[in-house]
Amino acid sequence: MSTGLNDNEIISKVLSGDYQAYAGLVNRYQNYVFTLTLRMIKSREDAEEVAQDVFIKAYKYLADFKGASKFTTWLYTIVNNTCISFLRKKKLDIHSLDNEKVFETAANQDSGMNANMIEQKSKRAMVNNAISLLNPDDAQIITLFYKAEQSLEETAQILGIETNAAKVRLFRARTRLKEKMEMHYAEEVKNLN
Amino acid sequence: MNTNNIEERLWNFIDGSSSADEKTLIEKLLESDAEWKARYQDLLEVNNMLHSSEIDAPSMRFTKNVMEEISKLHIAPATKSYINKKIIWGISFFFITLIVGFLIYGFGQMDWTAGQETTLSKNINKVDFSKFDISKFFNNDWVNAFMMVNVILGLVLLDNYLTNKRKEFRKEKTPF
C-alpha cells in the first residue's frame, strides 16, 4: 500500500492508471470522512453508505482536482455536498434548533449517554456525545475545524460561505455546544475539571 | 460589555485570530479581571476537550467496498477537457444575433413621426430620413431570411452537441 506517499503523489499514480493506489487515500481519510458524514446523518449505516459514495465520487472526478487547495479541502467539499443531497433526498429530520424533536432526541441521547459515561468515564466520549446533540450544521463546522485539520478559510471554502460567516457560525456552534454540555453534562464536566 | 461579546473576543484570542493590539488588551484583562479569567478558563477547557474529541471509524470492510466499486468505474475526463469553447461561443453568437435582429426589427417598426415635436425631434427632423430606405433592407423577406439563418444555426449547434454526446458515450463504453 502506498502509505509513504503524499496525497498528490498518490493522486498522480491513480490518474496514470494505478487505481489500486487509491486505497491509500481511502485508508488515510476514511475515519475523517465517516465522522463528518455521521455528524450530519445520524444513522451509522446511512453515514457509511454516504462516506463510500463520497470516495467513489472523488475517484470518478479525480481528474478535476488540480491541487489548488489541499486534497482534504476538496474531499470535504464532496462530503458536504453529498450529505446535503442525501438529507434532501431522504427528507430526514435535520434537527434544526427550532424543531421540538431536538429536545426529545437530546433527552434520549442524554440518558444513553449517562449510562455510557458511567462505563467509560471518558472526557472524549462526553464531548462526542455533546456534539451529537447539536444540529448537523453546528456539528459539521466543529468537526471540520477541530478534527479535520481545516483552517477557518478552508472550512469556509468547503461550506461555500465567506470566511467571516464561517467564523460567526463556528462561534455560535461552540456557544451552543457549551450550553449543551452545561445543560446535560454539568456534573461530569465539574468532575473532570 | 455583554457575555457574547466577551466570549467572541476570547474565542478569537484562543484561535489566534485576534489582532496584536487586541491580544495585548486581552492579556491585560486576563491578569486584572476575574470575570474574564474565569470565562477564559471555561472556554479553554471546551477548546481542549474539542481538540481531544475522538473520530469515528467505519466498518472494517470500508476500503474493500470502495475499491470493489471503483474497479467498475473509469475516471471521468477533467471538466475543462470536455467543455468545447467553440460551442459556448456559437451559442453566444446565436443569442446575440437573435437579440440584435429583434432590436433592428423593433426599431424598424417604430413610427418616428408620431408624438409632439421636441427640441431633440426637431433636430432629428433636420436629417433627411427619406434618403435612408430601411424598407429596402427590412421587408418581410429579410425578416424571414434572418429567422431562417437563426434556425439553421440552432440546428447546427444541436447537431454538434449530439455528436459530442455520442462520442463521449462511445468512449465510456470502451475499456482502458
PDB file of all heavy atoms in Angstrom, chain A residues 19 27 30-31 35 44 48 52 60 64 123-124 128 146-147 167 174 178 181, chain B residues 7 12 15 47 49 51-54 56-59 63 65 71 76 78-79:
ATOM      1  N   TYR A  19      -5.138   2.245 -10.259  1.00  0.00           N
ATOM      2  CA  TYR A  19      -6.301   2.547  -9.423  1.00  0.00           C
ATOM      3  C   TYR A  19      -6.184   1.966  -8.018  1.00  0.00           C
ATOM      4  O   TYR A  19      -6.795   2.456  -7.070  1.00  0.00           O
ATOM      5  CB  TYR A  19      -7.610   2.131 -10.124  1.00  0.00           C
ATOM      6  CG  TYR A  19      -8.095   0.726  -9.840  1.00  0.00           C
ATOM      7  CD1 TYR A  19      -8.977   0.461  -8.796  1.00  0.00           C
ATOM      8  CD2 TYR A  19      -7.671  -0.324 -10.624  1.00  0.00           C
ATOM      9  CE1 TYR A  19      -9.421  -0.819  -8.533  1.00  0.00           C
ATOM     10  CE2 TYR A  19      -8.106  -1.614 -10.378  1.00  0.00           C
ATOM     11  CZ  TYR A  19      -8.982  -1.859  -9.329  1.00  0.00           C
ATOM     12  OH  TYR A  19      -9.412  -3.128  -9.070  1.00  0.00           O
ATOM     13  N   ASN A  27      -7.788   4.691   2.952  1.00  0.00           N
ATOM     14  CA  ASN A  27      -7.339   4.315   4.310  1.00  0.00           C
ATOM     15  C   ASN A  27      -7.003   5.545   5.146  1.00  0.00           C
ATOM     16  O   ASN A  27      -7.307   5.605   6.329  1.00  0.00           O
ATOM     17  CB  ASN A  27      -6.094   3.422   4.229  1.00  0.00           C
ATOM     18  CG  ASN A  27      -6.469   2.004   3.860  1.00  0.00           C
ATOM     19  OD1 ASN A  27      -7.559   1.537   4.172  1.00  0.00           O
ATOM     20  ND2 ASN A  27      -5.572   1.318   3.161  1.00  0.00           N
ATOM     21  N   GLN A  30     -10.626   7.727   5.597  1.00  0.00           N
ATOM     22  CA  GLN A  30     -11.949   7.137   5.826  1.00  0.00           C
ATOM     23  C   GLN A  30     -12.552   7.546   7.175  1.00  0.00           C
ATOM     24  O   GLN A  30     -13.752   7.822   7.265  1.00  0.00           O
ATOM     25  CB  GLN A  30     -11.912   5.619   5.685  1.00  0.00           C
ATOM     26  CG  GLN A  30     -10.960   4.910   6.604  1.00  0.00           C
ATOM     27  CD  GLN A  30     -11.085   3.398   6.465  1.00  0.00           C
ATOM     28  OE1 GLN A  30     -12.168   2.845   6.523  1.00  0.00           O
ATOM     29  NE2 GLN A  30      -9.966   2.729   6.244  1.00  0.00           N
ATOM     30  N   ASN A  31     -11.713   7.626   8.216  1.00  0.00           N
ATOM     31  CA  ASN A  31     -12.253   7.978   9.536  1.00  0.00           C
ATOM     32  C   ASN A  31     -12.775   9.417   9.563  1.00  0.00           C
ATOM     33  O   ASN A  31     -13.813   9.688  10.155  1.00  0.00           O
ATOM     34  CB  ASN A  31     -11.180   7.811  10.617  1.00  0.00           C
ATOM     35  CG  ASN A  31     -10.859   6.348  10.862  1.00  0.00           C
ATOM     36  OD1 ASN A  31     -11.455   5.466  10.239  1.00  0.00           O
ATOM     37  ND2 ASN A  31      -9.923   6.081  11.743  1.00  0.00           N
ATOM     38  N   THR A  35     -16.604  10.323  10.035  1.00  0.00           N
ATOM     39  CA  THR A  35     -17.008  11.155  11.184  1.00  0.00           C
ATOM     40  C   THR A  35     -17.846  12.335  10.715  1.00  0.00           C
ATOM     41  O   THR A  35     -18.885  12.649  11.303  1.00  0.00           O
ATOM     42  CB  THR A  35     -15.763  11.662  11.957  1.00  0.00           C
ATOM     43  OG1 THR A  35     -15.000  10.533  12.351  1.00  0.00           O
ATOM     44  CG2 THR A  35     -16.147  12.462  13.187  1.00  0.00           C
ATOM     45  N   ARG A  44     -25.599   5.364  11.551  1.00  0.00           N
ATOM     46  CA  ARG A  44     -24.281   4.815  11.176  1.00  0.00           C
ATOM     47  C   ARG A  44     -24.317   4.153   9.800  1.00  0.00           C
ATOM     48  O   ARG A  44     -23.395   4.317   9.014  1.00  0.00           O
ATOM     49  CB  ARG A  44     -23.819   3.781  12.217  1.00  0.00           C
ATOM     50  CG  ARG A  44     -23.145   4.371  13.422  1.00  0.00           C
ATOM     51  CD  ARG A  44     -22.480   3.280  14.247  1.00  0.00           C
ATOM     52  NE  ARG A  44     -21.134   2.971  13.755  1.00  0.00           N
ATOM     53  CZ  ARG A  44     -20.048   3.634  14.133  1.00  0.00           C
ATOM     54  NH1 ARG A  44     -20.132   4.619  14.995  1.00  0.00           N
ATOM     55  NH2 ARG A  44     -18.858   3.305  13.646  1.00  0.00           N
ATOM     56  N   GLU A  48     -22.210   5.471   6.637  1.00  0.00           N
ATOM     57  CA  GLU A  48     -21.178   4.664   5.992  1.00  0.00           C
ATOM     58  C   GLU A  48     -21.415   4.585   4.481  1.00  0.00           C
ATOM     59  O   GLU A  48     -20.486   4.678   3.683  1.00  0.00           O
ATOM     60  CB  GLU A  48     -21.135   3.261   6.616  1.00  0.00           C
ATOM     61  CG  GLU A  48     -19.997   2.442   6.059  1.00  0.00           C
ATOM     62  CD  GLU A  48     -19.487   1.358   6.995  1.00  0.00           C
ATOM     63  OE1 GLU A  48     -19.627   1.495   8.215  1.00  0.00           O
ATOM     64  OE2 GLU A  48     -18.937   0.373   6.472  1.00  0.00           O
ATOM     65  N   GLN A  52     -18.910   6.049   1.640  1.00  0.00           N
ATOM     66  CA  GLN A  52     -18.412   5.270   0.499  1.00  0.00           C
ATOM     67  C   GLN A  52     -18.700   5.999  -0.801  1.00  0.00           C
ATOM     68  O   GLN A  52     -17.845   6.070  -1.697  1.00  0.00           O
ATOM     69  CB  GLN A  52     -19.097   3.897   0.471  1.00  0.00           C
ATOM     70  CG  GLN A  52     -18.470   2.922   1.448  1.00  0.00           C
ATOM     71  CD  GLN A  52     -19.190   1.581   1.477  1.00  0.00           C
ATOM     72  OE1 GLN A  52     -19.894   1.228   0.539  1.00  0.00           O
ATOM     73  NE2 GLN A  52     -19.023   0.859   2.556  1.00  0.00           N
ATOM     74  N   LYS A  60     -14.085   9.203  -9.215  1.00  0.00           N
ATOM     75  CA  LYS A  60     -14.630   9.447 -10.553  1.00  0.00           C
ATOM     76  C   LYS A  60     -14.205  10.820 -11.094  1.00  0.00           C
ATOM     77  O   LYS A  60     -13.920  10.966 -12.272  1.00  0.00           O
ATOM     78  CB  LYS A  60     -16.160   9.362 -10.479  1.00  0.00           C
ATOM     79  CG  LYS A  60     -16.807   8.947 -11.763  1.00  0.00           C
ATOM     80  CD  LYS A  60     -18.274   8.695 -11.556  1.00  0.00           C
ATOM     81  CE  LYS A  60     -18.999   8.670 -12.882  1.00  0.00           C
ATOM     82  NZ  LYS A  60     -20.442   8.685 -12.703  1.00  0.00           N
ATOM     83  N   ASP A  64     -10.456  16.247 -11.965  1.00  0.00           N
ATOM     84  CA  ASP A  64     -10.818  17.660 -11.755  1.00  0.00           C
ATOM     85  C   ASP A  64     -10.048  18.293 -10.601  1.00  0.00           C
ATOM     86  O   ASP A  64     -10.079  19.508 -10.444  1.00  0.00           O
ATOM     87  CB  ASP A  64     -12.326  17.797 -11.471  1.00  0.00           C
ATOM     88  CG  ASP A  64     -13.124  17.827 -12.748  1.00  0.00           C
ATOM     89  OD1 ASP A  64     -12.562  18.251 -13.765  1.00  0.00           O
ATOM     90  OD2 ASP A  64     -14.292  17.407 -12.726  1.00  0.00           O
ATOM     91  N   LYS A 123     -13.740  11.754  28.991  1.00  0.00           N
ATOM     92  CA  LYS A 123     -13.991  13.131  28.586  1.00  0.00           C
ATOM     93  C   LYS A 123     -14.276  13.189  27.080  1.00  0.00           C
ATOM     94  O   LYS A 123     -15.159  13.887  26.622  1.00  0.00           O
ATOM     95  CB  LYS A 123     -12.742  13.952  28.901  1.00  0.00           C
ATOM     96  CG  LYS A 123     -12.938  15.444  28.815  1.00  0.00           C
ATOM     97  CD  LYS A 123     -11.611  16.161  28.813  1.00  0.00           C
ATOM     98  CE  LYS A 123     -11.064  16.335  30.215  1.00  0.00           C
ATOM     99  NZ  LYS A 123      -9.840  17.185  30.229  1.00  0.00           N
ATOM    100  N   ARG A 124     -13.517  12.382  26.332  1.00  0.00           N
ATOM    101  CA  ARG A 124     -13.659  12.379  24.882  1.00  0.00           C
ATOM    102  C   ARG A 124     -15.035  11.915  24.459  1.00  0.00           C
ATOM    103  O   ARG A 124     -15.660  12.497  23.562  1.00  0.00           O
ATOM    104  CB  ARG A 124     -12.607  11.460  24.258  1.00  0.00           C
ATOM    105  CG  ARG A 124     -11.234  12.027  24.324  1.00  0.00           C
ATOM    106  CD  ARG A 124     -10.253  11.044  23.785  1.00  0.00           C
ATOM    107  NE  ARG A 124      -8.902  11.570  23.841  1.00  0.00           N
ATOM    108  CZ  ARG A 124      -7.835  10.923  23.434  1.00  0.00           C
ATOM    109  NH1 ARG A 124      -7.974   9.713  22.913  1.00  0.00           N
ATOM    110  NH2 ARG A 124      -6.652  11.448  23.511  1.00  0.00           N
ATOM    111  N   ASN A 128     -17.924  13.936  22.365  1.00  0.00           N
ATOM    112  CA  ASN A 128     -18.528  13.369  21.151  1.00  0.00           C
ATOM    113  C   ASN A 128     -20.043  13.307  21.267  1.00  0.00           C
ATOM    114  O   ASN A 128     -20.756  13.617  20.317  1.00  0.00           O
ATOM    115  CB  ASN A 128     -17.996  11.958  20.898  1.00  0.00           C
ATOM    116  CG  ASN A 128     -16.708  12.004  20.099  1.00  0.00           C
ATOM    117  OD1 ASN A 128     -16.205  13.064  19.787  1.00  0.00           O
ATOM    118  ND2 ASN A 128     -16.182  10.834  19.787  1.00  0.00           N
ATOM    119  N   TYR A 146     -11.965  21.303  14.182  1.00  0.00           N
ATOM    120  CA  TYR A 146     -11.165  20.663  15.236  1.00  0.00           C
ATOM    121  C   TYR A 146     -10.578  19.315  14.851  1.00  0.00           C
ATOM    122  O   TYR A 146      -9.492  18.978  15.282  1.00  0.00           O
ATOM    123  CB  TYR A 146     -11.993  20.519  16.518  1.00  0.00           C
ATOM    124  CG  TYR A 146     -12.124  21.815  17.263  1.00  0.00           C
ATOM    125  CD1 TYR A 146     -13.250  22.605  17.114  1.00  0.00           C
ATOM    126  CD2 TYR A 146     -11.103  22.275  18.095  1.00  0.00           C
ATOM    127  CE1 TYR A 146     -13.368  23.815  17.795  1.00  0.00           C
ATOM    128  CE2 TYR A 146     -11.206  23.485  18.766  1.00  0.00           C
ATOM    129  CZ  TYR A 146     -12.341  24.240  18.612  1.00  0.00           C
ATOM    130  OH  TYR A 146     -12.441  25.444  19.267  1.00  0.00           O
ATOM    131  N   LYS A 147     -11.325  18.538  14.064  1.00  0.00           N
ATOM    132  CA  LYS A 147     -10.853  17.179  13.792  1.00  0.00           C
ATOM    133  C   LYS A 147     -10.282  16.996  12.391  1.00  0.00           C
ATOM    134  O   LYS A 147      -9.419  16.163  12.171  1.00  0.00           O
ATOM    135  CB  LYS A 147     -11.974  16.149  14.014  1.00  0.00           C
ATOM    136  CG  LYS A 147     -12.552  16.093  15.397  1.00  0.00           C
ATOM    137  CD  LYS A 147     -11.574  16.160  16.558  1.00  0.00           C
ATOM    138  CE  LYS A 147     -10.478  15.119  16.584  1.00  0.00           C
ATOM    139  NZ  LYS A 147      -9.468  15.460  17.631  1.00  0.00           N
ATOM    140  N   LYS A 167     -16.644  32.095  10.565  1.00  0.00           N
ATOM    141  CA  LYS A 167     -16.194  32.487  11.914  1.00  0.00           C
ATOM    142  C   LYS A 167     -17.409  32.643  12.843  1.00  0.00           C
ATOM    143  O   LYS A 167     -17.400  32.131  13.969  1.00  0.00           O
ATOM    144  CB  LYS A 167     -15.440  33.812  11.797  1.00  0.00           C
ATOM    145  CG  LYS A 167     -14.510  34.117  12.921  1.00  0.00           C
ATOM    146  CD  LYS A 167     -13.714  35.370  12.571  1.00  0.00           C
ATOM    147  CE  LYS A 167     -12.762  35.736  13.664  1.00  0.00           C
ATOM    148  NZ  LYS A 167     -11.974  36.927  13.333  1.00  0.00           N
ATOM    149  N   ARG A 174     -19.939  26.698  18.859  1.00  0.00           N
ATOM    150  CA  ARG A 174     -19.228  26.444  20.113  1.00  0.00           C
ATOM    151  C   ARG A 174     -20.054  26.910  21.306  1.00  0.00           C
ATOM    152  O   ARG A 174     -20.058  26.269  22.357  1.00  0.00           O
ATOM    153  CB  ARG A 174     -17.860  27.143  20.092  1.00  0.00           C
ATOM    154  CG  ARG A 174     -16.887  26.451  19.171  1.00  0.00           C
ATOM    155  CD  ARG A 174     -15.478  26.949  19.325  1.00  0.00           C
ATOM    156  NE  ARG A 174     -15.262  28.281  18.802  1.00  0.00           N
ATOM    157  CZ  ARG A 174     -14.109  28.719  18.312  1.00  0.00           C
ATOM    158  NH1 ARG A 174     -13.066  27.915  18.264  1.00  0.00           N
ATOM    159  NH2 ARG A 174     -13.975  29.941  17.860  1.00  0.00           N
ATOM    160  N   LYS A 178     -21.324  24.475  24.248  1.00  0.00           N
ATOM    161  CA  LYS A 178     -21.061  24.779  25.655  1.00  0.00           C
ATOM    162  C   LYS A 178     -22.373  24.733  26.448  1.00  0.00           C
ATOM    163  O   LYS A 178     -22.428  24.175  27.548  1.00  0.00           O
ATOM    164  CB  LYS A 178     -20.420  26.165  25.759  1.00  0.00           C
ATOM    165  CG  LYS A 178     -19.733  26.431  27.059  1.00  0.00           C
ATOM    166  CD  LYS A 178     -18.875  27.678  26.931  1.00  0.00           C
ATOM    167  CE  LYS A 178     -18.639  28.300  28.284  1.00  0.00           C
ATOM    168  NZ  LYS A 178     -19.662  29.229  28.717  1.00  0.00           N
ATOM    169  N   MET A 181     -23.405  21.146  26.901  1.00  0.00           N
ATOM    170  CA  MET A 181     -22.594  20.475  27.919  1.00  0.00           C
ATOM    171  C   MET A 181     -23.001  20.916  29.317  1.00  0.00           C
ATOM    172  O   MET A 181     -23.071  20.101  30.234  1.00  0.00           O
ATOM    173  CB  MET A 181     -21.107  20.732  27.656  1.00  0.00           C
ATOM    174  CG  MET A 181     -20.587  19.895  26.493  1.00  0.00           C
ATOM    175  SD  MET A 181     -19.026  20.424  25.826  1.00  0.00           S
ATOM    176  CE  MET A 181     -17.933  19.969  27.100  1.00  0.00           C
TER     177      MET A 181
ATOM    178  N   GLU B   7     -17.149  36.499  25.051  1.00  0.00           N
ATOM    179  CA  GLU B   7     -16.813  35.139  24.576  1.00  0.00           C
ATOM    180  C   GLU B   7     -16.286  35.166  23.149  1.00  0.00           C
ATOM    181  O   GLU B   7     -15.349  34.441  22.824  1.00  0.00           O
ATOM    182  CB  GLU B   7     -18.042  34.233  24.693  1.00  0.00           C
ATOM    183  CG  GLU B   7     -18.380  33.943  26.143  1.00  0.00           C
ATOM    184  CD  GLU B   7     -19.222  32.707  26.354  1.00  0.00           C
ATOM    185  OE1 GLU B   7     -19.721  32.152  25.367  1.00  0.00           O
ATOM    186  OE2 GLU B   7     -19.387  32.312  27.525  1.00  0.00           O
ATOM    187  N   ASN B  12     -11.680  34.308  19.668  1.00  0.00           N
ATOM    188  CA  ASN B  12     -10.695  34.806  18.689  1.00  0.00           C
ATOM    189  C   ASN B  12      -9.286  34.761  19.271  1.00  0.00           C
ATOM    190  O   ASN B  12      -8.329  34.421  18.576  1.00  0.00           O
ATOM    191  CB  ASN B  12     -11.030  36.246  18.271  1.00  0.00           C
ATOM    192  CG  ASN B  12     -12.271  36.293  17.401  1.00  0.00           C
ATOM    193  OD1 ASN B  12     -12.680  35.294  16.826  1.00  0.00           O
ATOM    194  ND2 ASN B  12     -12.887  37.460  17.322  1.00  0.00           N
ATOM    195  N   ASP B  15      -8.235  31.131  19.319  1.00  0.00           N
ATOM    196  CA  ASP B  15      -7.946  30.652  17.953  1.00  0.00           C
ATOM    197  C   ASP B  15      -6.718  31.327  17.353  1.00  0.00           C
ATOM    198  O   ASP B  15      -6.230  30.904  16.307  1.00  0.00           O
ATOM    199  CB  ASP B  15      -9.143  30.939  17.021  1.00  0.00           C
ATOM    200  CG  ASP B  15     -10.361  30.100  17.382  1.00  0.00           C
ATOM    201  OD1 ASP B  15     -10.186  29.084  18.066  1.00  0.00           O
ATOM    202  OD2 ASP B  15     -11.475  30.485  16.975  1.00  0.00           O
ATOM    203  N   ASN B  47     -12.282  24.168  24.500  1.00  0.00           N
ATOM    204  CA  ASN B  47     -11.388  24.088  23.349  1.00  0.00           C
ATOM    205  C   ASN B  47     -10.493  22.847  23.421  1.00  0.00           C
ATOM    206  O   ASN B  47     -10.346  22.108  22.437  1.00  0.00           O
ATOM    207  CB  ASN B  47     -10.535  25.361  23.295  1.00  0.00           C
ATOM    208  CG  ASN B  47      -9.795  25.500  21.996  1.00  0.00           C
ATOM    209  OD1 ASN B  47     -10.402  25.531  20.935  1.00  0.00           O
ATOM    210  ND2 ASN B  47      -8.485  25.564  22.070  1.00  0.00           N
ATOM    211  N   MET B  49     -11.081  20.139  25.133  1.00  0.00           N
ATOM    212  CA  MET B  49     -11.902  18.922  25.002  1.00  0.00           C
ATOM    213  C   MET B  49     -12.238  18.669  23.532  1.00  0.00           C
ATOM    214  O   MET B  49     -12.237  17.539  23.074  1.00  0.00           O
ATOM    215  CB  MET B  49     -13.188  19.065  25.820  1.00  0.00           C
ATOM    216  CG  MET B  49     -12.950  18.830  27.290  1.00  0.00           C
ATOM    217  SD  MET B  49     -14.463  18.475  28.189  1.00  0.00           S
ATOM    218  CE  MET B  49     -15.148  20.074  28.376  1.00  0.00           C
ATOM    219  N   HIS B  51     -10.450  19.530  20.966  1.00  0.00           N
ATOM    220  CA  HIS B  51      -9.246  19.033  20.297  1.00  0.00           C
ATOM    221  C   HIS B  51      -9.013  17.553  20.587  1.00  0.00           C
ATOM    222  O   HIS B  51      -8.473  16.831  19.758  1.00  0.00           O
ATOM    223  CB  HIS B  51      -8.023  19.858  20.712  1.00  0.00           C
ATOM    224  CG  HIS B  51      -7.844  21.087  19.882  1.00  0.00           C
ATOM    225  ND1 HIS B  51      -7.613  21.042  18.530  1.00  0.00           N
ATOM    226  CD2 HIS B  51      -7.896  22.404  20.211  1.00  0.00           C
ATOM    227  CE1 HIS B  51      -7.513  22.272  18.054  1.00  0.00           C
ATOM    228  NE2 HIS B  51      -7.693  23.130  19.049  1.00  0.00           N
ATOM    229  N   SER B  52      -9.426  17.141  21.796  1.00  0.00           N
ATOM    230  CA  SER B  52      -9.160  15.741  22.165  1.00  0.00           C
ATOM    231  C   SER B  52     -10.322  14.808  21.835  1.00  0.00           C
ATOM    232  O   SER B  52     -10.251  13.616  22.107  1.00  0.00           O
ATOM    233  CB  SER B  52      -8.839  15.661  23.662  1.00  0.00           C
ATOM    234  OG  SER B  52      -9.985  16.033  24.391  1.00  0.00           O
ATOM    235  N   SER B  53     -11.388  15.371  21.212  1.00  0.00           N
ATOM    236  CA  SER B  53     -12.536  14.501  20.899  1.00  0.00           C
ATOM    237  C   SER B  53     -12.132  13.424  19.876  1.00  0.00           C
ATOM    238  O   SER B  53     -11.222  13.639  19.073  1.00  0.00           O
ATOM    239  CB  SER B  53     -13.706  15.326  20.365  1.00  0.00           C
ATOM    240  OG  SER B  53     -13.352  15.925  19.158  1.00  0.00           O
ATOM    241  N   GLU B  54     -12.842  12.305  19.955  1.00  0.00           N
ATOM    242  CA  GLU B  54     -12.473  11.163  19.103  1.00  0.00           C
ATOM    243  C   GLU B  54     -13.106  11.257  17.726  1.00  0.00           C
ATOM    244  O   GLU B  54     -14.151  11.882  17.574  1.00  0.00           O
ATOM    245  CB  GLU B  54     -12.949   9.865  19.756  1.00  0.00           C
ATOM    246  CG  GLU B  54     -12.128   9.499  20.972  1.00  0.00           C
ATOM    247  CD  GLU B  54     -12.824   8.444  21.819  1.00  0.00           C
ATOM    248  OE1 GLU B  54     -14.058   8.315  21.720  1.00  0.00           O
ATOM    249  OE2 GLU B  54     -12.130   7.770  22.571  1.00  0.00           O
ATOM    250  N   ASP B  56     -14.769   8.909  14.635  1.00  0.00           N
ATOM    251  CA  ASP B  56     -15.372   7.578  14.496  1.00  0.00           C
ATOM    252  C   ASP B  56     -14.716   6.809  13.349  1.00  0.00           C
ATOM    253  O   ASP B  56     -14.153   7.408  12.438  1.00  0.00           O
ATOM    254  CB  ASP B  56     -16.863   7.725  14.217  1.00  0.00           C
ATOM    255  CG  ASP B  56     -17.593   8.288  15.408  1.00  0.00           C
ATOM    256  OD1 ASP B  56     -17.993   7.503  16.271  1.00  0.00           O
ATOM    257  OD2 ASP B  56     -17.722   9.531  15.485  1.00  0.00           O
ATOM    258  N   ALA B  57     -14.828   5.497  13.433  1.00  0.00           N
ATOM    259  CA  ALA B  57     -14.264   4.657  12.365  1.00  0.00           C
ATOM    260  C   ALA B  57     -15.390   3.857  11.709  1.00  0.00           C
ATOM    261  O   ALA B  57     -16.278   3.361  12.402  1.00  0.00           O
ATOM    262  CB  ALA B  57     -13.224   3.722  12.942  1.00  0.00           C
ATOM    263  N   PRO B  58     -15.341   3.743  10.387  1.00  0.00           N
ATOM    264  CA  PRO B  58     -16.374   2.928   9.714  1.00  0.00           C
ATOM    265  C   PRO B  58     -16.061   1.443   9.886  1.00  0.00           C
ATOM    266  O   PRO B  58     -15.082   1.080  10.551  1.00  0.00           O
ATOM    267  CB  PRO B  58     -16.256   3.364   8.260  1.00  0.00           C
ATOM    268  CG  PRO B  58     -14.846   3.781   8.096  1.00  0.00           C
ATOM    269  CD  PRO B  58     -14.390   4.317   9.418  1.00  0.00           C
ATOM    270  N   SER B  59     -16.849   0.590   9.234  1.00  0.00           N
ATOM    271  CA  SER B  59     -16.625  -0.855   9.382  1.00  0.00           C
ATOM    272  C   SER B  59     -15.304  -1.270   8.737  1.00  0.00           C
ATOM    273  O   SER B  59     -14.734  -0.540   7.935  1.00  0.00           O
ATOM    274  CB  SER B  59     -17.782  -1.615   8.735  1.00  0.00           C
ATOM    275  OG  SER B  59     -17.757  -1.389   7.342  1.00  0.00           O
ATOM    276  N   THR B  63     -12.791   0.073   3.125  1.00  0.00           N
ATOM    277  CA  THR B  63     -11.867   0.274   1.991  1.00  0.00           C
ATOM    278  C   THR B  63     -12.146  -0.754   0.889  1.00  0.00           C
ATOM    279  O   THR B  63     -12.171  -0.416  -0.299  1.00  0.00           O
ATOM    280  CB  THR B  63     -10.399   0.153   2.465  1.00  0.00           C
ATOM    281  OG1 THR B  63     -10.221   1.062   3.548  1.00  0.00           O
ATOM    282  CG2 THR B  63      -9.418   0.495   1.373  1.00  0.00           C
ATOM    283  N   ASN B  65     -14.933  -2.286   0.191  1.00  0.00           N
ATOM    284  CA  ASN B  65     -16.176  -1.932  -0.526  1.00  0.00           C
ATOM    285  C   ASN B  65     -15.938  -0.835  -1.545  1.00  0.00           C
ATOM    286  O   ASN B  65     -16.407  -0.921  -2.682  1.00  0.00           O
ATOM    287  CB  ASN B  65     -17.245  -1.450   0.468  1.00  0.00           C
ATOM    288  CG  ASN B  65     -17.784  -2.578   1.319  1.00  0.00           C
ATOM    289  OD1 ASN B  65     -17.583  -3.758   1.000  1.00  0.00           O
ATOM    290  ND2 ASN B  65     -18.451  -2.245   2.397  1.00  0.00           N
ATOM    291  N   SER B  71     -13.454  -0.295  -8.984  1.00  0.00           N
ATOM    292  CA  SER B  71     -12.860  -1.159 -10.015  1.00  0.00           C
ATOM    293  C   SER B  71     -13.770  -1.246 -11.245  1.00  0.00           C
ATOM    294  O   SER B  71     -13.317  -1.556 -12.340  1.00  0.00           O
ATOM    295  CB  SER B  71     -12.592  -2.545  -9.444  1.00  0.00           C
ATOM    296  OG  SER B  71     -13.822  -3.169  -9.145  1.00  0.00           O
ATOM    297  N   ALA B  76     -13.525  10.099 -14.861  1.00  0.00           N
ATOM    298  CA  ALA B  76     -14.082  10.976 -15.897  1.00  0.00           C
ATOM    299  C   ALA B  76     -13.024  11.979 -16.342  1.00  0.00           C
ATOM    300  O   ALA B  76     -12.184  12.376 -15.543  1.00  0.00           O
ATOM    301  CB  ALA B  76     -15.289  11.710 -15.329  1.00  0.00           C
ATOM    302  N   ALA B  78     -11.214  15.477 -17.128  1.00  0.00           N
ATOM    303  CA  ALA B  78     -11.344  16.752 -16.416  1.00  0.00           C
ATOM    304  C   ALA B  78     -12.372  17.639 -17.121  1.00  0.00           C
ATOM    305  O   ALA B  78     -12.443  17.639 -18.348  1.00  0.00           O
ATOM    306  CB  ALA B  78     -10.001  17.456 -16.363  1.00  0.00           C
ATOM    307  N   THR B  79     -13.138  18.359 -16.346  1.00  0.00           N
ATOM    308  CA  THR B  79     -14.240  19.165 -16.888  1.00  0.00           C
ATOM    309  C   THR B  79     -13.775  20.051 -18.037  1.00  0.00           C
ATOM    310  O   THR B  79     -14.438  20.148 -19.061  1.00  0.00           O
ATOM    311  CB  THR B  79     -14.827  20.055 -15.774  1.00  0.00           C
ATOM    312  OG1 THR B  79     -14.922  19.281 -14.597  1.00  0.00           O
ATOM    313  CG2 THR B  79     -16.188  20.587 -16.151  1.00  0.00           C
TER     314      THR B  79
END
